[in-house]
Amino acid sequence: MRVTAAVLWTAAVLVGLQKSASSPDNFVDRSSQNLSSVPTDLPQTTEFLDLSRNYIRQLHNGDFQKTTHLRFLNVSWNGLEKIDPQTFLDTPLLEHLDLSHNNLKNLSGQQYLLHTVNLLVLNLAFNRFLTMTLGSEFSSLVKLERLTVGAKNISVGDFKNIAKMKLRTLTLLLEDGLYYEAGSLEDVHAQRLQIAFGHNQKIDRNLTADALSLFAEVEIMNMINGYKDLSKQLRETVKIHTTSFYLTNITIKWQDLTEYVNVALNTTLKHLHASEMNIKKPPQDKTEVIKTSQVISFTASQAVVTSFFFSQEALYNFFISMPVESVAITDTPIIHMTCPKSQSPIRQLDFSNCAMSDSIFSSAVGKNVVECQNLRNLKNLTLVGNSLKKLEILSQRFRYMSSLQHLDLSVNSIGYDQSSQCIWPASITNINLSSNSLTDSVFQCLPNGTQILDLQNNQISVVPQSIFKLRNLSTLNLNANRLRDLPGCGTFPTLHKLLLRSNSLHAPSVNILESCPELHILDVSFNPFTCTCTLRGFIKLAIKSEKNNNNQSGIELLNWPQGYYCTYPEDVRNSTLRDISIPEVSCSNGLLVVAILVPAGTLIIFIVILCHCLDVPWYTGMIWQWTRAKHRARMQQARPEDLVGLEFHAFVSYSQHDVDWVRNSLLPNLEGPAGGLRICHHEKDFVPGKTIIENIISCVEKCRRSVFVLSAHFVKSEWCHYELYFATHQRLTLGSDSIVLVLLEPLPQYLIPSKYYQLKSMMNRHTYLEWPQDRAKQRLFWANLRAALQTDLPNAPVAQVQEHWAEERLEEGHR
């Protein structure tokens, strides 16, 4: 019973939360805090207040004087005994009130209700009410939609004060030893009557008779026994006003369940529902179901079987053989469904969130698989959230369902491997294959007559054009796939709506849309747009669509402009496409050539004339010679203490993918007779036993400079990142020339990860050496690199030092 009350309160609160979700700061939870009175420090903005499971015995006038915006109040499980008539005088907006599980004693004396005229939900269950007599104050609740009450005695006239109300739901929580007087509910006008039984509560024939004759919807909850009495009463009742009959949270034997269903099918009821059903003693043999019925639908959800040994075929046959138009068994772990033994009247089937496999509806006869041919009236089939895997096999399962129009196979593990041909019934017009494991090949396994196709959340990267034409396709949903461009409509000549949200489109090709004459709705929002020249055509289309939207002409672009923003280049990242400007001159080769060459030619002519008049070449040569002299002098005057501890001219950092170039080209041209330099690299100079980090730090500290061989592999290497990090820190001590960058291959800035921000900065501010592919230029490359690394180390070999000074003297002699 406590579970039932909690569920009812939660349902009521959720309805209100939907209206108030925009202001979560207004929710205050003071439950289970040992409070003996309403807190005085409640925020004035409080709309939702939970005071449940405390020790508040009384509510007084002024307890809620600060919370004038209060809409939801839960004071259940408090032992509440008294409520002052003026308690809710300051809360005119109160809509939901839960006073269940307390010690209130008189339903006819709830005077505080006079100040709650806006109440929509009121829960007074599990108090100490002896009689169900509702006082005159209940008549003031003109907006009340849900009322939950319980008492030991229910008599005629108890509900007269709510006779003018039109409730959505009246819930009666019955207690053991209930006395009910026939006709007591005649004053109640409600769409649904919920009857929640106590632990050992027996069914009351008078109550059930009134429920079936007065209410359109009747729900019985927590029933354990008495199903035979219920079936007998349904069989004997001549006139039933109820159209929808619900059994919720029940425990029932298979024999009682099938008897109840057969009896209910033979009444004027239209809809049968059973949820949270625990089936005991499941069938061992075939169970018959009646052949004809006035019932339209049967629904069962969250059903479990408490035995492992029973005939699954007998259980499945009973449900699939029902003479109704709609059968739904959901959230139930059934792994198979049989085929009806004769032609079935069922038009709708729903087996959502079960455990169905590809063998559904089929049967094995020897080594052959027999497909179902007795569901020819079926129009809608829903198999969401099961264990279906092979699309070609499923097409075989449905091939004889000649009336099938709507098929939902979403949220499974379906794939198509092209191993066999798909055979679908020609009647299918709407098929949902979203949230599966389908690839581009799925377009070879689709019903020819499809009009609405949902393939969102799969692994489709391209829509192949060499497939059969879906000439009737009007809506194609490819959201959340891997498409890189718009699909053409050559195979979908009547396509009206195309959804491509959250794919991999960088620059949609607008000219492809010329093949879509009937396309009027397009959604390509939340794609990683590259805002360069290739996107100008799409931006023009979007702006044109926005202007024509009021005229209902052209293509309507959904979610424009909020869902369309740049991801590249960096300077316009997160800018909406409507807010950026891509100049036409930068996108037209002709205009760009004119815009560059004309000013450049004019400038060159002007500079040549100016240089000739002012003898600029001579001054330039002089300044260059002076700069070289100053630079050489500064290098020769390096302080000895700055070189203490240095053993190598350079430490080389590179990716393992570039090791061949380092071994075969770099090291031979820098070390030995060719270069005369000492180079430190990890293959030769890392000390065994030390960690990689310790070796990196040690090598960097022993080297005058650090050479980084940059490539696409370099920026993907974690160890290269550490080497660059430590070399950058050493740069603060040795100077800005301690790092030399060698660009082995083109490396655009946008390919460099954000963690290499120091590398980006250095490449922007310093000159780096680019490895030339032309062999004639490589000698100059090595000469420049050696010159950049040359340093007189204090512990260099004597021969090497003498050779270096000899080269210096020779150079001075030439000057």
Side-chain angles (χ1 to χ4, degrees):
M1 296 296 284
R2 294 182 180 179
V3 174
T4 302
V7 169
L8 294 173
W9 167 250
T10 302
V13 168
L14 287 176
V15 173
L17 290 180
Q18 292 176 352
K19 303 177 182 178
S20 306
S22 60
S23 55
D25 295 337
N26 297 335
F27 302 152
V28 178
D29 185 359
R30 297 292 180 87
S31 61
S32 302
Q33 295 186 4
N34 295 322
L35 300 175
S36 59
S37 61
V38 177
T40 58
D41 60 344
L42 297 174
Q44 293 183 356
T45 58
T46 302
E47 293 185 25
F48 175 90
L49 178 59
D50 189 352
L51 297 174
S52 63
R53 299 186 180 277
N54 283 294
Y55 300 98
I56 303 174
R57 299 291 186 260
Q58 294 186 10
L59 295 179
H60 304 90
N61 180 17
D63 280 349
F64 304 102
Q65 61 180 353
K66 293 183 180 180
T67 56
T68 56
H69 299 287
L70 190 64
R71 296 173 58 195
F72 308 90
L73 177 61
N74 184 357
V75 200
S76 62
W77 298 93
N78 269 278
L80 191 62
E81 298 175 353
K82 183 178 180 181
I83 302 177
D84 189 279
Q86 307 297 319
T87 296
F88 301 111
L89 186 63
D90 301 312
T91 57
L93 302 179
L94 190 62
E95 295 178 348
H96 296 245
L97 179 59
D98 188 350
L99 298 172
S100 63
H101 296 90
N102 282 297
N103 293 323
L104 301 177
K105 296 181 179 179
N106 189 1
L107 264 174
S108 60
Q110 311 300 312
Q111 297 298 316
Y112 56 87
L113 294 177
L114 293 173
H115 302 291
T116 59
V117 294
N118 287 312
L119 268 187
L120 300 176
V121 177
L122 175 60
N123 189 348
L124 290 167
F126 301 108
N127 278 279
R128 296 182 179 275
F129 302 134
L130 294 178
T131 64
M132 192 66 79
T133 306
L134 304 182
S136 59
E137 58 274 11
F138 280 85
S139 61
S140 64
L141 305 179
V142 294
K143 296 183 179 181
L144 195 64
E145 296 179 356
R146 295 183 177 90
L147 174 61
T148 303
V149 290
K152 287 184 175 295
N153 298 282
I154 304 177
S155 304
V156 174
D158 282 350
F159 297 98
K160 66 180 181 180
N161 285 316
I162 62 170
K164 295 182 179 180
M165 296 183 191
K166 291 186 178 180
L167 299 174
R168 183 181 302 174
T169 304
L170 172 64
T171 302
L172 300 179
L173 292 156
L174 306 184
E175 302 180 21
D176 295 340
L178 169 73
Y179 167 77
Y180 178 83
E181 183 179 359
S184 297
L185 293 174
E186 290 181 355
D187 291 325
V188 178
H189 297 88
Q191 175 69 19
R192 173 181 288 201
L193 175 66
Q194 291 180 324
I195 303 173
F197 285 102
H199 181 65
N200 293 313
Q201 184 70 35
K202 295 182 179 180
I203 190 168
D204 188 291
R205 291 183 60 89
N206 292 330
L207 176 58
T208 307
D210 284 352
L212 294 172
S213 62
L214 296 173
F215 301 93
E217 299 176 14
V218 174
E219 180 176 2
I220 296 179
M221 299 182 291
N222 310 330
M223 191 171 175
I224 298 178
N225 300 307
Y227 293 103
K228 292 186 180 298
D229 294 335
L230 177 62
S231 299
K232 181 179 180 181
Q233 189 167 6
L234 285 173
R235 186 184 296 110
E236 295 174 352
T237 302
V238 178
K239 185 178 181 180
I240 297 178
H241 175 73
T242 301
T243 58
S244 298
F245 195 78
Y246 300 79
L247 293 177
T248 303
N249 190 24
I250 63 171
T251 300
I252 187 171
K253 296 178 181 178
W254 174 256
Q255 182 179 357
D256 293 337
L257 174 62
T258 54
E259 181 182 359
Y260 154 74
V261 171
N262 277 322
V263 171
L265 290 174
N266 206 28
T267 65
T268 58
L269 292 170
K270 299 300 180 184
H271 307 283
L272 300 179
H273 305 265
S275 61
E276 301 173 60
M277 181 170 52
N278 185 355
I279 302 175
K280 300 174 66 176
K281 295 184 179 181
Q284 300 296 332
D285 300 309
K286 178 180 179 181
T287 305
E288 296 290 343
V289 62
I290 66 173
K291 304 300 181 182
T292 60
S293 171
Q294 299 183 50
V295 173
I296 298 175
S297 69
F298 174 83
T299 301
S301 65
Q302 301 180 46
V304 295
V305 178
T306 58
S307 174
F308 294 102
F309 302 101
F310 66 97
S311 172
Q312 294 190 38
E313 183 176 1
L315 187 146
Y316 300 147
N317 283 340
F318 180 83
F319 290 113
I320 198 65
S321 300
M322 286 187 179
V324 296
E325 292 186 6
S326 176
V327 173
I329 301 177
T330 61
D331 300 293
T332 300
I334 55 176
I335 61 175
H336 183 64
M337 182 50 61
T338 57
C339 180
K341 300 303 181 183
S342 59
Q343 203 59 238
S344 172
I346 296 176
R347 300 164 65 89
Q348 297 185 38
L349 275 177
D350 185 355
F351 298 123
S352 297
N353 302 311
C354 295
M356 296 289 184
S357 66
D358 291 347
S359 64
I360 185 172
F361 299 132
S362 64
S363 59
V365 178
K367 296 183 179 181
N368 298 322
V369 176
V370 178
E371 308 296 350
C372 182
Q373 301 188 36
N374 292 328
L375 287 170
R376 297 185 182 274
N377 293 312
L378 186 63
K379 289 189 173 182
N380 297 339
L381 177 58
T382 302
L383 295 170
V384 177
N386 282 275
S387 300
L388 308 177
K389 294 184 178 180
K390 294 188 177 182
L391 190 60
E392 63 272 21
I393 293 179
L394 293 173
S395 71
Q396 300 281 348
R397 299 291 178 259
F398 312 137
R399 64 185 299 185
Y400 296 113
M401 300 177 186
S402 55
S403 299
L404 186 61
Q405 296 178 359
H406 303 275
L407 177 61
D408 192 344
L409 301 174
S410 59
V411 196
N412 281 279
S413 302
I414 299 175
Y416 177 56
D417 58 8
Q418 308 180 58
S419 59
S420 58
Q421 187 177 2
C422 297
I423 304 176
W424 297 96
S427 56
I428 294 180
T429 59
N430 186 336
I431 183 169
N432 188 340
L433 293 167
S434 62
S435 300
N436 280 288
S437 303
L438 296 165
T439 60
D440 309 344
S441 62
V442 65
F443 289 96
Q444 302 177 26
C445 181
L446 293 173
N448 289 329
T450 303
Q451 297 178 12
I452 300 176
L453 176 59
D454 191 341
L455 287 169
Q456 65 177 316
N457 194 25
N458 278 284
Q459 301 172 23
I460 299 171
S461 58
V462 65
V463 178
Q465 298 298 308
S466 58
I467 61 175
F468 59 85
K469 291 187 176 182
L470 300 178
R471 296 189 177 276
N472 299 323
L473 188 66
S474 62
T475 299
L476 176 58
N477 188 343
L478 289 169
N479 290 338
N481 276 277
R482 303 176 180 178
L483 273 77
R484 297 187 177 183
D485 205 349
L486 299 174
C489 297
T491 52
F492 319 126
T494 61
L495 190 65
H496 176 81
K497 186 175 183 179
L498 178 60
L499 306 178
L500 298 169
R501 178 172 176 168
S502 300
N503 275 270
S504 300
L505 280 73
H506 295 278
S509 304
V510 178
N511 57 339
I512 294 180
L513 297 179
E514 296 177 358
S515 63
C516 306
E518 301 296 327
L519 186 64
H520 294 295
I521 299 175
L522 175 64
D523 186 359
V524 288
S525 58
F526 302 101
N527 276 278
F529 294 107
T530 301
C531 295
T532 57
C533 292
T534 54
L535 196 65
R536 291 187 74 249
F538 177 76
I539 295 177
K540 286 183 178 180
L541 173 69
I543 295 175
K544 180 180 179 182
S545 171
E546 184 178 16
K547 293 179 179 178
N548 294 337
N549 194 26
N550 295 330
N551 301 328
Q552 299 297 321
S553 60
I555 296 178
E556 177 186 357
L557 202 60
L558 300 183
N559 299 314
W560 175 267
Q562 292 82 5
Y564 299 78
Y565 49 85
C566 302
T567 58
Y568 178 81
E570 290 291 336
D571 56 338
V572 293
R573 179 184 288 272
N574 296 327
S575 299
T576 61
L577 301 192
R578 188 173 65 175
D579 295 335
I580 69 165
S581 176
I582 304 176
E584 186 174 356
V585 65
S586 64
C587 300
S588 173
N589 292 335
L591 291 176
L592 189 61
V593 170
V594 172
I596 294 176
L597 292 184
V598 172
T602 304
L603 181 61
I604 291 173
I605 294 173
F606 175 77
I607 292 175
V608 170
I609 295 173
L610 184 64
C611 290
H612 179 75
C613 295
L614 301 178
D615 205 5
V616 172
W618 185 84
Y619 285 106
T620 303
M622 292 299 100
I623 293 173
W624 171 246
Q625 293 296 332
W626 179 83
T627 303
R628 287 187 62 193
K630 295 291 290 183
H631 175 71
R632 185 177 297 107
R634 182 172 63 86
M635 292 299 297
Q636 291 175 351
Q637 293 175 5
R639 294 179 302 175
E641 58 267 27
D642 294 337
L643 302 177
V644 173
L646 298 181
E647 300 176 12
F648 300 92
H649 290 89
F651 169 72
V652 179
S653 174
Y654 56 93
S655 169
Q656 195 62 28
H657 291 83
D658 304 321
V659 66
D660 291 339
W661 183 85
V662 173
R663 289 176 179 171
N664 300 330
S665 298
L666 180 69
L667 296 178
N669 281 279
L670 296 183
E671 293 179 325
L677 301 176
R678 281 180 289 166
I679 304 300
C680 176
H681 59 102
H682 71 270
E683 292 184 355
K684 176 171 68 69
D685 299 297
F686 273 19
V687 178
K690 288 187 178 182
T691 65
I692 296 179
I693 295 295
E694 291 175 339
N695 273 308
I696 292 174
I697 295 175
S698 176
C699 285
V700 170
E701 290 177 348
K702 293 178 182 179
C703 298
R704 180 70 177 96
R705 293 178 176 85
S706 297
V707 177
F708 291 91
V709 181
L710 304 182
S711 67
H713 300 297
F714 181 94
V715 297
K716 295 178 181 178
S717 171
E718 194 67 28
W719 295 117
C720 291
H721 177 227
Y722 286 122
E723 293 167 352
L724 178 63
Y725 174 81
F726 294 123
T728 304
H729 279 269
Q730 191 198 35
R731 179 167 166 261
L732 299 176
T733 304
L734 298 181
S736 60
D737 62 339
S738 65
I739 293 180
V740 178
L741 304 180
V742 175
L743 193 60
L744 192 58
E745 61 185 14
L747 189 63
Q749 289 269 337
Y750 68 86
L751 290 181
I752 302 177
S754 58
K755 67 180 181 180
Y756 281 94
Y757 65 93
Q758 295 169 323
L759 177 60
K760 288 186 178 180
S761 176
M762 285 188 287
M763 291 184 70
N764 288 331
R765 294 200 303 265
H766 300 285
T767 303
Y768 47 84
L769 298 177
E770 295 186 51
W771 168 249
Q773 298 299 322
D774 188 353
R775 296 180 61 87
K777 298 178 181 179
Q778 292 177 4
R779 293 183 63 185
L780 182 58
F781 170 85
W782 294 121
N784 286 335
L785 182 56
R786 286 192 292 269
L789 301 178
Q790 185 64 56
T791 301
D792 290 331
L793 299 181
N795 55 351
V798 176
Q800 180 178 331
V801 174
Q802 291 175 348
E803 180 183 353
H804 171 68
W805 282 108
E807 291 177 356
E808 289 290 329
R809 293 192 203 97
L810 181 62
E811 183 178 356
E812 290 178 0
H814 285 304
R815 291 201 298 270

